[in-house]
Amino acid sequence: MTENAQQQPPAPDTELPTQYAPADVEGPLYERWVERGYFEADAKSDKPAYTIVIPPPNVTGSLHLGHAFEHTLIDALTRRKRMQGYETLWQPGMDHAGIATQNVVERELGKEGKSRHDLGRDAFVERVWQWKAESGGQISGQMRRLGDGVAWSRERFTMDEGLSQAVQTIFKRLYDDELIYRAERIINWCPRCLTAISDIEVEYQDDDGELVSMKYGDGDDTIVVATTRAETMLGDTAVAVHPDDERYRHLVGTLIKLPLTDRSIPVVADTHVDPEFGTGAVKVTPAHDPNDFEIGQRHDLPSITIMDEHAVITAHGPFQGLDRLEARSAIVAALRAEGRIVAEKRPYVHSVGHCSRCKTTIEPRLSMQWWVKVGPLAKAAGDAVRDGKVKIHPQEMEKRYFDWVDNLHDWCISRQLWWGHRIPVWYGPDGEVVCVGPDEEPPSGEGWRQDTDVLDTWFSSGLWPFSTLGWPEQTESLAKFYPNSVLVTGYDILFFWVARMMMFGLYAMDGTPPFHTIALHGMVRDQFGKKMSKSFGNAVNPLDWMDKYGSDALRFTLARGANPGVDVPIGEDWVQGSRNFANKIWNATRFALMNGATVDGPLPDPAKMSATDRWILSRLNSVVAEVDAFYEDFQFAKLSDALFHFAWDEVFDWYVELSKTTFQAGGEAAEVSKRVLGEVLDVTLRLLHPVVPFVTETLWTTLTGGESVVIAEWPADSGFRDADAEREIETLQSVITEVRRFRADQGLQPGQRVPARLTLDGTALAPHEAAIRQLLRLQPEGESFTATATLPVAGAEVALDLSGTIDVAAERKRLAKDLAAAEKEKAQATAKLGNEAFLAKAPDQVVDKIRTRLAKADEDIARIQAQLDRLPPA
């Protein structure tokens, strides 16, 4: 009996429609929850805090199955904690998504025949804000469709005033601590987006390219090098060989002629070169390759930039003005004409980096950028997990985390965009550099200008767990809700986002990590395990499935597939099955209400309960304990499966069916069972609520008269167990199952009534004769009863008179035919497995298949023979 059910007045409508219609229920219910403030969080509350932040979706995005999956898991956790009495905050918000958003608005401008440069920076940024107000954030409405219990009054945006102040504050602190610096380094450059991107924003895929081997130098001074980017030879400033390579020792320190140019370049010795790979000599282009840049630094080589930001050749000569790919072909042709091409391999499949936003091939490029010195920050992020301050779940994902944070390179945080947090650094007319904090006035006067770059989107989203709570101000919300209880996110952004939050949280919050636990989940895939993609034709709009089957059905399907850190396959027929489950819950609750199930008053004394009542209460408490344990271990699939089988198999298919006899008989036993049924449904609906909130809200409020299951008390294991009752009902189930199987084997229709004599005296089944007869459609034996089949089960005996229900001769003939077929199958399989020549040549999988056929044939023979033995004489 719940506290809510006792305190709240009865619901005005105590009847349920005959069918559940999700579309009529979900929208109004969600708005009611929001209006009543159930999802809001009070920083002044003395309840213990439970905090989760939403992985902020891009403002350009819309709900996809990955969002629906992740949001279902987070919502389930927060709904349960709210019911357990925690002050629960699920923090919503969106990311400004620098590159993605700028690309969207630039495409819109392109339709008008304009570019951002036609508008100018300020007007373009204003246009982006306008787009956000009109078109951005459609995902918020879709989150409502899914039932996300977020604190909408706290919704944040990574470009709003408060979060912008947080970004400027931490930039200033890192700068003053010499953890942010400006330097010329090799970066990943996107010639389409015209900006630097970080290593983790580069997607690698195998492309068909070409590998060209070409001669540098002449005569005895010739060295052959190979490259997939022939155009970069225009920027070569050395050839490198290994210092121990005898083939080239005489050339180290000498100059050789660089083809197609008027330059000579040195041969240098460097241990980076692998003498066993290719010719053992590599061309060195410091301005266009990260490894070459390092070689150049070690040998004090010049860096020659040969391309502009559009990847167009700028080097003087006949190739100037050509796109990089045009130049590649032209340069190979020119080298071929000079007889310098030694070998060409086409196609040459190799891994090539692409911009994760626009899929353009990235170009390594020497550029002046802003960087975060990640060494001390990454060490702290690694130590927090090693020391147990933060737990990663599942634990086997720790290795991936350590592999990343222990080997981080400095992070390029500047982007050549207009949309984003502008870098708070001003340059003076005499070379001054001033970093300005949020409470400081920037320098002014002639010649002062602000850096034109903006910060990487991950810089601001890395502050999300504390910037959304008001940091750098020491707010009540920050004191109450930081650190977060758990972060629920996909393993795919362990590096993008999780590591950034760990570094910034530990730095900004005096060594306090941003969350206690990192719970990683897998990716949603189609029912065949294939990645979902529009190009594959298997992408699904979750709204379509929610429209068709209801949000609860989608949520339950996703949760039931959610094993920690493992990808989740999903198919439409599985969602349909979950819809059937929602309907089953609905119909069972309707039956209970129509038969007087109640939650009024305490539970009856167990001594007044039937074994069936005690069994279901015992099982109910076991399931409560089981579900709690699964929640604490983030085992969503297991808890969903446990609830599914308990509700469908034990409550609906057994307890409800067994109770029908009791209800028909009436009396005190019926009143007891009505109260027990009410209790079981009350608790089961509360257990199911975090995963399937809509249908459970409708049913629970109707059943109990409570205000809302959202704020109902989470069920607790009362400790009640009755092993004897559980064994008794298990025996009853085995009897009913065995007789049902026999009836089916004899070809009897499920509703067909059969005369039967039950011998139950002295067994635990004696009190259940009425239920056995009702569930098995067994009528009294009558005067002309003849036992044509007798089934000894569980110490009892069920004798059936089949003389008037089946054609015994025809049934014997049918079974004899089936038996002959099974024996033939066995003989064939046995002969093949006894053939040594066959076994010597046949693949293992073929032999295994035949062994499986033999085992199946043996099972069929035993089953059919048992059916024949049970038939009366013809």
Side-chain angles (χ1 to χ4, degrees):
M1 181 64 190
T2 70
E3 183 178 348
N4 293 80
Q6 292 173 332
Q7 294 180 349
Q8 298 300 326
D13 181 9
T14 57
E15 293 187 359
L16 293 171
T18 55
Q19 290 185 323
Y20 177 49
D24 297 337
V25 169
E26 293 173 352
L29 267 188
Y30 187 84
E31 292 309 313
R32 190 184 313 159
W33 292 334
V34 173
E35 288 167 7
R36 293 179 177 178
Y38 294 154
F39 305 142
E40 296 303 324
D42 182 4
K44 298 180 186 297
S45 168
D46 58 2
K47 296 178 182 179
Y50 187 81
T51 317
I52 295 181
V53 294
I54 193 173
N58 288 351
V59 68
T60 58
S62 60
L63 191 73
H64 56 64
L65 273 178
H67 287 123
F69 171 58
E70 185 168 80
H71 290 200
T72 294
L73 305 187
I74 298 175
D75 198 39
L77 290 173
T78 53
R79 283 179 183 269
R80 172 175 175 262
K81 285 296 182 180
R82 189 178 295 112
M83 296 171 75
Q84 287 182 316
Y86 286 77
E87 193 62 35
T88 303
L89 170 60
W90 181 8
Q91 174 67 55
M94 287 183 290
D95 193 287
H96 67 278
I99 296 176
T101 305
Q102 181 157 319
N103 282 347
V104 168
V105 178
E106 285 195 84
R107 282 197 295 271
E108 293 297 313
L109 284 175
K111 296 175 183 177
E112 302 171 16
K114 297 178 182 178
S115 72
R116 61 182 165 120
H117 300 284
D118 294 324
L119 272 66
R121 183 170 192 142
D122 291 344
F124 175 78
V125 171
E126 181 60 33
R127 180 70 177 261
V128 179
W129 279 109
Q130 179 184 340
W131 175 87
K132 177 190 178 293
E134 295 173 355
S135 306
Q138 63 173 311
I139 200 168
S140 296
Q142 296 165 334
M143 287 167 61
R144 293 171 181 266
R145 283 288 313 277
L146 191 63
D148 288 1
V150 299
W152 286 112
S153 68
R154 293 172 172 266
E155 187 174 12
R156 303 303 297 269
F157 179 54
T158 51
M159 285 281 285
D160 68 27
E161 183 177 352
L163 270 66
S164 295
Q165 182 184 22
V167 168
Q168 194 171 352
T169 299
I170 201 164
F171 187 99
K172 171 70 171 174
R173 291 188 187 180
L174 290 164
Y175 181 87
D176 289 346
D177 287 344
E178 298 183 348
L179 292 173
I180 282 183
Y181 64 94
R182 192 169 184 245
E184 194 173 42
R185 298 270 187 89
I186 291 286
I187 48 91
N188 303 299
W189 181 264
C190 176
R192 159 61 186 79
C193 298
L194 298 180
T195 182
I197 60 175
S198 64
D199 291 343
I200 53 178
E201 293 172 301
V202 178
E203 293 179 348
Y204 287 90
Q205 66 184 47
D206 288 340
D207 286 358
D208 287 344
E210 60 181 351
L211 180 65
V212 178
S213 300
M214 49 196 179
K215 291 189 296 184
Y216 284 14
D218 296 298
D220 293 339
D221 294 342
T222 296
I223 293 183
V224 175
V225 297
T227 182
T228 58
R229 299 163 66 217
E231 69 280 7
T232 62
M233 59 94 45
L234 298 176
D236 285 358
T237 56
V239 170
V241 297
H242 194 276
D244 297 333
D245 195 331
E246 295 290 342
R247 294 171 294 176
Y248 303 116
R249 182 165 291 178
H250 67 290
L251 292 176
V252 173
T254 66
L255 298 175
I256 61 173
K257 182 75 166 57
L258 179 65
L260 307 181
T261 72
D262 295 326
R263 294 189 291 118
S264 293
I265 57 176
V267 178
V268 299
D270 195 283
T271 54
H272 170 76
V273 180
D274 180 1
E276 302 298 323
F277 183 77
T279 63
V282 297
K283 58 191 287 298
V284 181
T285 321
H288 292 279
D289 184 272
N291 293 320
D292 293 2
F293 177 79
E294 298 296 333
I295 294 174
Q297 293 288 296
R298 288 193 289 271
H299 298 277
D300 198 24
L301 299 173
S303 296
I304 301 174
T305 299
I306 63 157
M307 294 182 213
D308 67 11
E309 60 185 5
H310 298 281
V312 172
I313 302 298
T314 57
H316 292 296
F319 311 108
Q320 186 174 5
L322 295 179
D323 171 79
R324 56 181 167 169
L325 299 181
E326 296 172 333
R328 183 175 301 171
S329 299
I331 286 170
V332 171
L335 290 169
R336 191 184 298 112
E338 290 190 4
R340 291 188 174 274
I341 298 298
V342 175
E344 296 178 71
K345 185 176 182 180
R346 294 190 189 89
Y348 178 72
V349 179
H350 62 130
S351 182
V352 177
H354 296 260
C355 172
S356 62
R357 299 295 181 187
C358 69
K359 312 308 177 187
T360 301
T361 301
I362 62 102
E363 190 64 43
R365 186 169 187 253
L366 187 63
S367 180
M368 183 67 74
Q369 301 285 344
W370 286 94
W371 305 80
V372 172
K373 186 185 296 183
V374 300
L377 302 175
K379 182 180 184 304
D383 289 346
V385 175
R386 290 189 172 94
D387 296 345
K389 290 182 181 178
V390 178
K391 298 187 183 301
I392 293 179
H393 192 279
Q395 190 174 359
E396 54 265 27
M397 287 286 182
E398 281 186 3
K399 183 179 184 302
R400 297 181 65 175
Y401 177 78
F402 292 135
D403 286 346
W404 180 254
V405 297
D406 293 346
N407 297 285
L408 270 179
H409 299 295
D410 284 0
W411 173 19
C412 177
I413 56 171
S414 46
R415 299 290 181 267
Q416 290 64 55
L417 303 170
W418 287 356
W419 173 245
H421 295 101
R422 195 163 174 182
I423 289 176
V425 172
W426 273 255
Y427 305 104
D430 298 318
E432 303 96 331
V433 179
V434 177
C435 180
V436 178
D439 300 322
E440 300 171 347
E441 288 294 326
S444 59
E446 187 176 348
W448 282 93
R449 60 183 178 83
Q450 186 179 359
D451 196 300
T452 57
D453 289 351
V454 300
L455 287 164
D456 177 13
T457 295
W458 297 103
F459 190 94
S460 53
S461 62
L463 314 180
W464 192 248
F466 52 93
S467 64
T468 52
L469 298 173
W471 187 90
E473 301 298 325
Q474 298 305 305
T475 64
E476 287 182 320
S477 289
L478 189 64
K480 179 72 174 179
F481 296 113
Y482 186 91
N484 291 188
S485 306
V486 62
L487 173 75
V488 178
T489 192
Y491 63 68
D492 59 322
I493 57 172
L494 180 62
F495 316 129
F496 284 84
W497 190 43
V498 179
R500 310 293 195 220
M501 288 190 290
M502 286 286 284
M503 291 191 295
F504 282 166
L506 289 160
Y507 173 79
M509 301 300 292
D510 299 321
T512 302
F515 19 72
H516 297 301
T517 302
I518 302 168
L520 299 171
H521 59 72
M523 305 295 101
V524 177
R525 297 181 178 272
D526 71 12
Q527 59 188 320
F528 305 108
K530 190 175 182 180
K531 179 180 177 181
M532 285 191 171
S533 166
K534 290 181 180 178
S535 60
F536 294 156
N538 63 350
V540 174
N541 183 345
L543 293 176
D544 292 341
W545 282 353
M546 286 192 279
D547 288 342
K548 194 170 183 180
Y549 303 111
S551 298
D552 285 333
L554 177 64
R555 289 171 60 116
F556 193 73
T557 304
L558 291 166
R560 204 173 176 193
N563 291 296
V566 179
D567 289 344
V568 182
I570 184 172
E572 184 171 2
D573 54 335
W574 303 344
V575 185
Q576 185 175 352
S578 295
R579 188 271 314 275
N580 295 344
F581 179 51
N583 289 342
K584 187 82 170 180
I585 302 170
W586 184 272
N587 292 333
T589 307
R590 283 191 74 247
F591 167 83
L593 289 168
M594 289 188 295
N595 284 276
T598 179
V599 297
D600 294 335
L603 280 171
D605 189 317
K608 295 182 178 181
M609 295 181 188
S610 68
T612 309
D613 294 331
R614 297 194 306 277
W615 160 73
I616 198 63
L617 289 175
S618 180
R619 287 293 305 127
L620 177 67
N621 280 287
S622 295
V623 169
V624 170
E626 191 177 14
V627 167
D628 274 333
F630 286 144
Y631 262 115
E632 294 305 314
D633 199 35
F634 305 101
Q635 297 282 358
F636 296 98
K638 290 182 179 179
L639 72 89
S640 299
D641 213 46
L643 286 171
F644 174 87
H645 286 295
F646 174 70
W648 191 307
D649 299 345
E650 297 185 80
V651 178
F652 306 151
D653 279 359
W654 284 108
Y655 183 70
V656 167
E657 291 301 316
L658 290 170
S659 298
K660 288 179 179 179
T661 307
T662 307
F663 292 155
Q664 289 171 2
E668 183 180 3
E671 295 306 311
V672 169
S673 290
K674 288 175 184 178
R675 180 64 188 89
V676 171
L677 179 55
E679 180 75 9
V680 170
L681 286 175
D682 169 19
V683 173
T684 301
L685 290 170
R686 283 185 281 147
L687 289 173
L688 282 165
H689 173 72
V691 182
V692 285
F694 294 107
V695 68
T696 51
E697 171 80 340
T698 305
L699 296 176
W700 187 86
T701 53
T702 304
L703 174 70
T704 69
E707 179 185 342
S708 172
V709 71
V710 176
I711 55 171
E713 185 180 344
W714 180 254
D717 176 8
S718 71
F720 177 78
R721 300 290 191 279
D722 192 324
D724 291 339
E726 289 195 35
R727 281 193 294 271
E728 182 174 323
I729 301 305
E730 285 172 7
T731 301
L732 174 62
Q733 290 171 328
S734 68
V735 169
I736 293 173
T737 301
E738 179 65 25
V739 177
R740 278 175 174 168
R741 184 182 298 117
F742 175 74
R743 285 177 57 109
D745 287 344
Q746 305 310 314
L748 295 175
Q749 296 300 313
Q752 190 172 353
R753 305 195 70 82
V754 178
R757 180 176 61 239
L758 305 184
T759 306
L760 308 176
D761 292 343
T763 73
L765 298 173
H768 302 286
E769 179 168 353
I772 292 172
R773 286 190 176 277
Q774 179 164 314
L775 291 176
L776 291 173
R777 304 295 188 268
L778 303 179
Q779 63 191 40
E781 50 196 278
E783 294 182 3
S784 59
F785 178 83
T786 302
T788 59
T790 301
L791 284 72
V793 283
E797 187 176 271
V798 178
L800 303 175
D801 184 354
L802 304 179
S803 58
T805 57
I806 61 172
D807 184 334
V808 176
E811 187 64 13
R812 280 191 173 278
K813 185 175 181 181
R814 181 185 71 80
L815 289 173
K817 184 178 179 182
D818 291 346
L819 181 62
E823 290 173 338
K824 182 178 180 182
E825 175 74 2
K826 177 179 180 178
Q828 291 175 343
T830 302
K832 285 190 175 182
L833 292 174
N835 186 332
E836 295 295 335
F838 170 77
L839 293 176
K841 295 179 181 178
D844 290 344
Q845 59 267 31
V846 173
V847 176
D848 289 342
K849 190 173 181 180
I850 294 172
R851 289 196 178 107
T852 301
R853 283 171 50 195
L854 178 59
K856 176 68 166 53
D858 281 334
E859 290 176 5
D860 289 344
I861 290 169
R863 175 180 56 80
I864 297 167
Q865 190 60 60
Q867 290 175 243
L868 282 167
D869 292 342
R870 287 171 175 169
L871 282 175

